[in-house]
Amino acid sequence: MVDAFSDRAYSTYCYLFNRYWANSKQPFEFTYDQIKNHLGLCASTRSNDHIISNILTMLANNGLISFELITKVGKDNGNVKTVYCLSHVSATKPEKKN
């Protein structure tokens, strides 16, 4: 809960919203490392991945973003890379239906 309602969560939402808007409201791929770099977190370690995971989960559960996990295989070396595809960002929180 601490990660989900922090300044980092707001900054992550703004970062994703701005990238989505700059991409003409079209889906785009992003990685944890890109978000960590934006937030000023160390991207060379995985020990802080839980922070990004908690933030993305909270944003998705509140209807502010929609994303999916994509696995890609490198063309040159065959390494597997995990990326996320952001498909939608909402400017407002959806209202609850009764």
Side-chain angles (χ1 to χ4, degrees), residues 60-72:
N61 286 346
N62 283 292
L64 295 170
I65 65 171
S66 298
F67 68 94
E68 64 180 328
L69 177 68
I70 298 173
T71 305
K72 291 186 158 189

Side-chain angles (χ1 to χ4, degrees), residues 6-77:
S6 67
D7 290 343
R8 289 178 176 156
Y10 178 75
S11 184
T12 300
Y13 171 76
C14 290
Y15 171 74
L16 294 172
F17 182 87
N18 288 333
R19 284 201 51 201
Y20 183 73
W21 188 264
N23 199 43
S24 302
K25 298 181 183 179
Q26 297 297 314
F28 68 90
E29 295 176 0
F30 68 95
T31 65
Y32 273 21
D33 287 352
Q34 291 170 332
I35 294 176
K36 287 195 265 186
N37 286 330
H38 174 74
L39 297 176
L41 297 172
C42 181
S44 63
T45 181
R46 299 289 165 229
S47 64
N48 52 18
D49 281 1
H50 68 282
I51 296 169
I52 307 304
S53 176
N54 292 344
I55 291 170
L56 293 175
T57 300
M58 182 277 299
L59 292 172
N61 286 346
N62 283 292
L64 295 170
I65 65 171
S66 298
F67 68 94
E68 64 180 328
L69 177 68
I70 298 173
T71 305
K72 291 186 158 189
V73 178
K75 295 177 184 176
D76 297 334
N77 54 14

Side-chain angles (χ1 to χ4, degrees), residues 69-89:
L69 177 68
I70 298 173
T71 305
K72 291 186 158 189
V73 178
K75 295 177 184 176
D76 297 334
N77 54 14
N79 289 345
V80 176
K81 182 176 182 179
T82 301
V83 297
Y84 295 85
C85 182
L86 186 81
S87 56
H88 180 73
V89 177

